Amino acid sequence: MAGSRPVMAGSRPDAQDHPPENGFTPLERPAPRLLPHIDGCVLPSLGGFGRHQKQLVVLTWIPALFIGFSQFSDHFLLAQPNGTCVLPAGNHSNWTGPPLLASGAPALQLRANGTAEEPRDNAGLLCACEERRLELQTGLLQNVVTKWHLVCDSAWKVHIAKFSLLVGSIFGYLVMGVMADWYAPLLSLIKKFGRHPVLILSALFMLVFGLSVAFSVNVTMFSTLRFFEGFCLAGLALSLYVLRIELCLPGWRFSMTMVASFLKVGGQLLMPGVATLCRHWPNGDDWQVLQIVIISPFVLMLPYVWIFPESLRWLLATQHYKRSKAMMLRIARKNQVDMTAEPSGVLAELEQELHKKPQRSCIVKMMSTRNLWKNIVVLCVNSLTGYGIHHCFARSMMDPEAQPTALCHTDYYTMAGIAVATCLALCPAVGLMGRRGGLLTFMIITALASLLQLGLLNFLRDTLNRKFSVAFSIIGMFSSHAVSTLSIFFCAEITPTVIRGGGLGLVLASAGFGMLTAPIMELHNQKGYFLHHVIFACCTLLCIICLLLLPEPRGQPLPESLADGETFTRQTLLHPGEQHLLLVKYERDYSRVHDTPLHLTATGGATAAVATALAAVPATYALATGGEVIGNCAIANGV
């Protein structure tokens, strides 16, 4: 139809702009909607990244330090002690002197997993003792291992306790991620889920279960409560991450996230000092005091119920327009913006949409997309590989034959220093190469460090082997940590707002599975360690190929709906014009093309009669109909 144009959803008719042509009324040009463009229209009309947003981002930074304390508490609560044999079996009846120590210093040491060597020579003396002396070198006088003597035959309980926190975190990321996106009006106490309720519930139950851990009466109770502590810790970390991303404009997202990463690493660096301060606490076990000290600061998050609002971006994306209106007025007032005189028309459009009901979204809807689910799966594999191979490099860096000394925190501080260096390197790398370029670069470095450590070191002498192994391990830990951190941030940027919690939960849960490989290898006494490293090295090569399929979100607005996330695809190497020429299929009009007289004669008398009848049709009629009638008759007669 002449003068017709496509109609977009939500368009408003404006017939005066397009008067009727040739007796027909054309469809009106749709007026562009403003509410879906949060980064481009809504937030700038409210003052952009103003005072209100900056204050809320600072509030998301403060708990990052406490989260760092909790995530690295295993290094102190479950640290393996040095053991000495005080009373060997069968000799205590005649022993009246000072404590009897087994001969040979190496025989006195426990393995890294808390078990003694195989019972040969003097190595089995410790597990054969009736009384042992266990001493910690991690700042505490007593922890869970020394309190309940989790060594030798009971050493496996230590690894179960380590599993509990990680497994609880994995389930927490998955469940809390779905709850952060879900809208459930049937609940009476909590009318609706979202980012804010998940944040408050996680902080509240983190206090309950975290403080309960300090009063555990046995290792079973300790492991069970640690599972729920990890569950709440995951919900807390995920909701803060999502809220921080959704508060920022495109130019501020990465820098604000990296500040939180620095604070989390700061918690890792401060943990040895906090453990030392709890060492000589009167009237109580110092490990219990340490647990109370690292959990108590979460009390500061309880006022977030009143001072921290729901995410405006999530409210608009899920059509909570009534709540969005009140929040927009509140933000404009704090940013000192006059909404009544705003020329953008955001508030006027919001008034017209108040009648719409909120929409429900879940991460399961991702399966109906074509490109989005592939991007999330690629980032899940990247996160899993980064954290999994990080343990391989950390294991190679540590010297299993080194004796414990006063510098027992050397390995711990080395890993913390590598984390700080990674955060410092990510800032300029991502600024220069973008998200996809930086992720690809660090993944290539990880693959090279892994392959060189596995392959070339077998041809070197022993002294050089050890030095090169440590060097490649440090490089690999540096790059793998960068891969993991950037994969999580990448997912938060490309996942639409309506399912951002669930998508980020999948990537964080994959990271948890990667961390879980460390206690699994320790539980099996490092058996199969080489194969474990080989598998993750192959995964790095696969990730390098898959990373080329990801889009580049730097400087782009966050996708809000599933349709936005589906169109957020990789840019091709060709120019848009060249790509259009390759993809467009030209459909030629053959309606006016007729057979030649020679072909008509060959088809028979019936066809010749039809050709005579067609020739009698006036040419003006054929031109007026565009050849449609003639074409239909010809097709019906088999010509």
Side-chain angles (χ1 to χ4, degrees):
M1 183 182 297
S4 63
R5 293 181 177 89
V7 180
M8 295 177 59
S11 61
R12 293 186 290 266
D14 189 7
Q16 296 179 356
D17 295 339
H18 302 278
E21 298 178 4
N22 300 328
F24 296 95
T25 303
L27 296 179
E28 294 78 9
R29 182 185 297 275
R33 295 191 62 199
L34 302 178
L35 292 179
H37 305 285
I38 299 176
D39 286 322
C41 297
V42 178
L43 292 183
S45 66
L46 299 177
F49 192 63
R51 177 183 178 184
H52 174 74
Q53 286 81 1
K54 292 177 181 178
Q55 290 177 349
L56 294 181
V57 169
V58 171
L59 291 178
T60 65
W61 287 346
I62 297 174
L65 184 66
F66 312 144
I67 292 174
F69 288 156
S70 299
Q71 288 184 340
F72 294 97
S73 60
D74 277 350
H75 293 276
F76 303 90
L77 298 177
L78 299 172
Q80 298 297 335
N82 298 327
T84 56
C85 183
V86 179
L87 291 177
N91 295 335
H92 61 280
S93 59
N94 299 326
W95 185 255
T96 58
L100 177 64
L101 301 182
S103 60
L108 304 180
Q109 307 302 328
L110 292 175
R111 283 179 174 177
N113 63 348
T115 60
E117 297 287 341
E118 296 296 331
R120 63 176 186 272
D121 299 330
N122 294 326
L125 273 176
L126 186 64
C127 291
C129 286
E130 292 187 358
E131 184 177 350
R132 311 178 185 92
R133 175 184 296 171
L134 303 177
E135 297 179 355
L136 291 171
Q137 301 293 328
T138 57
L140 297 176
L141 291 176
Q142 188 183 49
N143 67 354
V144 175
V145 180
T146 59
K147 181 178 179 62
W148 293 305
H149 295 279
L150 304 179
V151 294
C152 297
D153 294 338
S154 300
W156 61 273
K157 297 179 181 180
V158 179
H159 306 297
I160 298 301
K162 291 182 180 180
F163 288 159
S164 62
L165 185 69
L166 290 175
V167 173
S169 298
I170 292 173
F171 280 96
Y173 287 132
L174 296 176
V175 175
M176 291 298 193
V178 174
M179 290 175 61
D181 297 327
W182 190 250
Y183 168 74
L186 299 180
L187 297 180
S188 57
L189 297 180
I190 304 174
K191 292 295 180 72
K192 51 190 76 66
F193 285 119
R195 282 76 160 117
H196 182 261
V198 169
L199 176 66
I200 302 305
L201 288 176
S202 299
L204 179 62
F205 286 104
M206 181 71 182
L207 286 170
V208 174
F209 291 112
L211 295 177
S212 300
V213 169
F215 301 97
S216 301
V217 297
N218 52 44
V219 67
T220 304
M221 181 178 177
F222 179 85
S223 301
T224 304
L225 292 175
R226 289 282 280 181
F227 172 86
F228 291 104
E229 180 187 350
F231 188 95
C232 299
L233 186 66
L236 196 61
L238 184 143
S239 56
L240 287 172
Y241 202 106
V242 172
L243 285 168
R244 190 183 304 115
I245 289 288
E246 294 181 352
L247 282 169
C248 300
L249 290 174
W252 294 87
R253 289 197 298 256
F254 185 73
S255 59
M256 298 297 101
T257 303
M258 291 309 301
V259 172
S261 299
F262 277 112
L263 290 174
K264 179 180 174 182
V265 176
Q268 181 181 359
L269 289 171
L270 293 176
M271 267 302 292
V274 176
T276 303
L277 293 176
C278 300
R279 183 180 179 90
H280 297 287
W281 197 272
N283 300 326
D285 295 335
D286 46 3
W287 74 269
Q288 294 177 321
V289 176
L290 177 62
Q291 177 68 15
I292 294 174
V293 167
I294 64 179
I295 294 297
S296 297
F298 287 103
V299 175
L300 299 176
M301 296 192 62
L302 295 182
Y304 283 26
V305 177
W306 301 281
I307 64 177
F308 209 102
E310 183 59 86
S311 172
L312 175 63
R313 189 185 300 269
W314 179 76
L315 292 176
L316 290 173
T318 54
Q319 295 185 4
H320 290 78
Y321 291 132
K322 293 183 179 179
R323 297 175 62 191
S324 300
K325 179 182 177 181
M327 188 168 296
M328 288 170 64
L329 295 175
R330 175 185 175 186
I331 295 174
R333 183 173 63 255
K334 289 191 174 182
N335 288 339
Q336 298 180 355
V337 176
D338 187 7
M339 290 292 292
T340 59
E342 50 103 10
S344 61
V346 172
L347 196 60
E349 182 176 339
L350 183 63
E351 292 285 349
Q352 299 178 2
E353 306 290 342
L354 293 178
H355 65 280
K356 292 187 177 180
K357 295 182 179 180
Q359 293 182 346
R360 299 182 182 183
S361 297
C362 184
I363 189 61
V364 179
K365 294 183 178 181
M366 176 190 68
M367 301 305 298
S368 62
T369 62
R370 182 179 180 182
N371 298 316
L372 181 60
W373 73 270
K374 299 177 184 177
N375 296 336
I376 295 179
V377 168
V378 169
L379 293 173
C380 287
V381 176
N382 272 269
S383 181
L384 172 66
T385 303
Y387 278 105
I389 204 170
H390 188 273
H391 168 68
C392 299
F393 290 123
R395 174 65 184 170
S396 300
M397 184 189 68
M398 300 176 185
D399 188 0
E401 298 179 357
Q403 300 299 326
T405 61
L407 298 176
C408 58
H409 296 305
T410 302
D411 294 332
Y412 181 85
Y413 278 118
T414 301
M415 292 186 290
I418 291 173
V420 173
T422 301
C423 294
L424 291 174
L426 274 175
C427 297
V430 173
L432 292 175
M433 296 179 289
R435 280 64 159 155
R436 183 176 62 177
L439 187 57
L440 182 61
T441 300
F442 286 115
M443 183 61 77
I444 292 174
I445 296 175
T446 304
L448 290 176
S450 179
L451 294 176
L452 289 173
Q453 191 177 51
L454 290 174
L456 298 182
L457 296 181
N458 294 328
F459 301 98
L460 301 175
R461 297 192 301 271
D462 293 338
T463 56
L464 289 178
N465 194 325
R466 179 60 191 163
K467 293 180 180 179
F468 275 95
S469 178
V470 172
F472 287 135
S473 297
I474 294 175
I475 296 173
M477 292 177 65
F478 169 82
S479 57
S480 61
H481 190 275
V483 166
S484 306
T485 304
L486 202 52
S487 296
I488 296 171
F489 177 74
F490 207 124
C491 178
E493 282 199 316
I494 68 171
T495 307
T497 301
V498 292
I499 59 169
R500 182 167 292 119
L504 190 61
L506 287 176
V507 176
L508 289 171
S510 301
F513 277 111
M515 298 178 189
L516 200 61
T517 58
I520 290 177
M521 294 301 299
E522 293 176 359
L523 183 63
H524 291 83
N525 296 330
Q526 305 300 330
K527 293 180 180 179
Y529 162 74
F530 182 79
L531 180 61
H532 173 82
H533 197 168
V534 169
I535 292 175
F536 278 108
C538 296
C539 290
T540 57
L541 300 178
L542 179 63
C543 291
I544 292 174
I545 300 174
C546 296
L547 283 175
L548 299 174
L549 304 176
L550 296 177
E552 176 53 59
R554 180 174 61 173
Q556 301 293 327
L558 291 177
E560 308 300 338
S561 63
L562 290 176
D564 295 337
E566 186 65 11
T567 57
F568 200 12
T569 57
R570 175 182 62 90
Q571 295 180 355
T572 61
L573 297 177
L574 296 175
H575 296 291
E578 298 176 357
Q579 182 187 7
H580 177 74
L581 293 176
L582 291 177
L583 296 179
V584 170
K585 295 181 180 179
Y586 292 98
E587 297 182 359
R588 299 180 180 178
D589 185 11
Y590 295 96
S591 59
R592 299 183 183 182
V593 178
H594 308 290
D595 288 330
T596 60
L598 181 60
H599 182 265
L600 291 174
T601 303
T603 56
T607 305
V610 172
T612 305
L614 292 176
V617 178
T620 56
Y621 179 77
L623 291 175
T625 58
E628 295 180 0
V629 176
I630 298 177
N632 291 336
C633 295
I635 292 174
N637 290 278
V639 180

